[in-house]
Amino acid sequence: MMAETKKKTIEEWQPYELDRHAEELVRKYRDKKNVLNESHKMRMTVAYGLERFWGEHLRLKPKPKPEDKYSEKEKIDFNKASYWQDVWNALGEIFEPTNIKIPGLNMTSTETKDIKAVVDDLWKMDISDRRIVLMVLTQLCDALVWWTQRYKIKENND
Amino acid sequence: MYHKAHGIIETLAPLHVGASAGEETGNLNLIFRDQFTQTGIIPGSSIRGRLRADMRETKPDRVGFWYGKEAKENQPNSTSEGIIKFEYASLLWLPVFCPDRPVVRVTCPALLERYQRLRGRQPHNFKPYSYWGEIDSKLLFFNLGFLPLKEKRQELFDEFMPSSVTNRDRYLLLVVDDKEMPMIHDMGLYRQSRVQLEDHRKQSKDKGFFNVEALPEGTVLVFPIAMRNKFDNKPVDWQEYLKEQEIEKEKELYFGGLESVGFGRTQVTLASGDQNNDGGN
């Protein structure tokens, strides 16, 4: 998902392209069962800060095993977790041209040491960078909710 | 021929001067905008109307002299030209939310140029992303995008931030490109959904729901004033007008709609000719 862009010097106003990211993400999970309701939960979770937003995908992630061994519920949870992670990665893409680094991008591991590395980076983030990233994440979640309300398929969501 | 002056308006509450009653836009009540910069304005007629109404309260017999006599029925030639003329107020500084500051005052070259013109000064060229204030990063992040900060320009504050503005040195000043101004302006507007309830039930009335936008608190606008130097071959005195209008220094005035629910309060300061209302010295 990460764009292969070179660091360019910023010469003018740069939009975050929140709707492009949000539309793409919502469309990606549109046909999956019971995933899009997470958009609303994401919008609520931003109130609790970056760390909790990032941590949420770990709650949802089932134990790693071959995909055909997953129960119906585990499959749904797996998709939910991927959705949360994809949103986090989109945030990484948005900030890619800037000097703000988003920790924990494209992380698949659930090992304690890997988790610790990401969380350490989160704590190390500059307070003003955190404020900025949280603001943008909030706006991105607003956009996700908007597209969810347009794209949601009733039969797929309880 | 004319005595030139200008006024500075600082909003002390959100300000809504409407462009329509909402018929064209469903339930969204837009503010009146200038067609080129797409930024909020207060029409000259609103400014004149407010001042004239104030004078009606205090000096009703002088209203005709300063603002022109109204037509009387069946009396040809009963109207007269007003002595005081107002043009529309345009934006000079718009406060915009910025996550890490939390306010940046934004303007663009077209708006700065009008301020120069109405003070009879030479054009002064600012490039986009010029700024004034202390920064700790060369990138500035807003809600919907970010931009680079380029040249630090002291005169942006000295010459373009009127001395009457509250906390004039508190926030970063920023010039953006004319073509970006409409988008950043719309990002900075105050928006509210309003609902009218039924009289005896806490339930929304039919058609009683609408959204309103307004210029936020802390917006600075400027408007030109012209006064005829002579009337009936007698000289007219600017100071006399200020006295009769009771606006010798500054005055709290209400503009636009929704006054009863806390919109429209402003502080207006007048300055004469190219007199400096921009302090700094």
Side-chain angles (χ1 to χ4, degrees), chain B:
Chain B
M1 183 68 193
Y2 288 102
H3 175 87
K4 294 275 174 58
H6 67 275
I8 305 285
I9 300 175
E10 182 186 351
T11 62
L12 305 175
L15 174 83
H16 174 89
V17 179
S20 74
E23 292 94 338
E24 301 90 340
T25 47
N27 60 7
L28 175 60
N29 290 309
L30 301 172
I31 57 168
F32 207 46
R33 285 171 169 79
D34 157 65
Q35 75 255 49
F36 301 116
T37 57
Q38 289 295 311
T39 53
I41 62 172
I42 305 176
S45 56
S46 302
I47 300 169
R48 176 177 180 271
R50 159 52 63 213
L51 290 166
R52 189 171 64 148
D54 280 6
M55 198 183 274
R56 268 204 209 107
E57 302 273 303
T58 54
K59 291 203 164 35
D61 53 324
R62 299 293 288 156
V63 175
F65 175 75
W66 293 110
Y67 292 97
K69 292 189 180 70
E70 290 181 21
K72 293 197 181 77
E73 216 175 330
N74 301 325
Q75 287 189 30
N77 309 325
S78 56
T79 57
S80 69
E81 184 192 357
I83 288 174
I84 296 274
K85 301 158 197 296
F86 298 91
E87 288 176 45
Y88 73 95
S90 59
L91 211 59
L92 181 60
W93 295 107
L94 176 77
V96 179
F97 171 74
C98 175
D100 196 37
R101 301 206 69 100
V103 174
V104 174
R105 286 176 162 140
V106 181
T107 191
C108 67
L111 296 171
L112 291 171
E113 263 166 54
R114 183 170 190 255
Y115 186 43
Q116 284 297 77
R117 269 203 315 276
L118 65 84
R119 292 185 296 172
R121 297 189 183 185
Q122 288 307 306
H124 188 104
N125 220 337
F126 282 109
K127 291 198 175 62
Y129 315 127
S130 309
Y131 70 94
W132 174 89
E134 289 312 308
I135 56 166
D136 38 25
S137 151
K138 276 286 193 183
L139 287 182
L140 192 62
F141 292 87
F142 289 100
N143 269 0
L144 303 175
F146 59 100
L147 52 75
L149 293 168
K150 291 186 176 169
E151 263 181 279
K152 188 168 183 174
R153 301 285 291 271
Q154 183 60 35
E155 70 273 34
L156 208 50
F157 175 75
D158 293 346
E159 295 173 38
F160 291 86
M161 174 49 81
S163 53
S164 58
V165 173
T166 320
N167 297 323
R168 56 198 288 263
D169 59 354
R170 182 181 289 181
Y171 302 117
L172 190 77
L173 304 181
L174 169 73
V175 182
V176 300
D177 200 304
D178 285 345
K179 64 179 187 290
E180 288 162 352
M181 192 65 197
M183 179 206 43
I184 291 172
H185 167 269
D186 280 13
M187 185 169 81
L189 288 183
Y190 171 97
R191 291 193 171 79
Q192 191 182 50
S193 294
R194 304 184 49 81
V195 63
Q196 182 185 14
L197 298 179
E198 292 192 5
D199 291 345
H200 303 291
R201 275 191 307 178
K202 209 166 178 179
Q203 185 180 322
S204 154
K205 270 188 178 163
D206 185 35
K207 298 193 176 59
F209 178 81
F210 66 97
N211 296 292
V212 68
E213 57 177 30
L215 289 168
E217 203 175 309
T219 303
V220 181
L221 302 107
V222 290
F223 63 95
I225 308 167
M227 183 189 78
R228 288 181 47 174
N229 281 330
K230 273 192 173 158
F231 185 70
D232 262 353
N233 285 322
K234 288 198 255 328
V236 182
D237 180 27
W238 171 246
Q239 293 305 327
E240 191 187 354
Y241 168 71
L242 295 183
K243 217 159 95 186
E244 299 203 343
Q245 186 63 68
E246 294 177 2
I247 189 167
E248 275 154 290
K249 190 159 168 31
E250 53 199 27
K251 200 173 186 182
E252 221 170 75
L253 294 174
Y254 280 82
F255 290 108
L258 303 165
E259 263 183 45
S260 57
V261 289
F263 284 61
R265 191 162 60 95
T266 73
Q267 180 89 318
V268 178
T269 315
L270 297 188
S272 184
D274 71 347
Q275 195 188 1
N276 241 338
N277 188 321
D278 33 60
N281 25 25

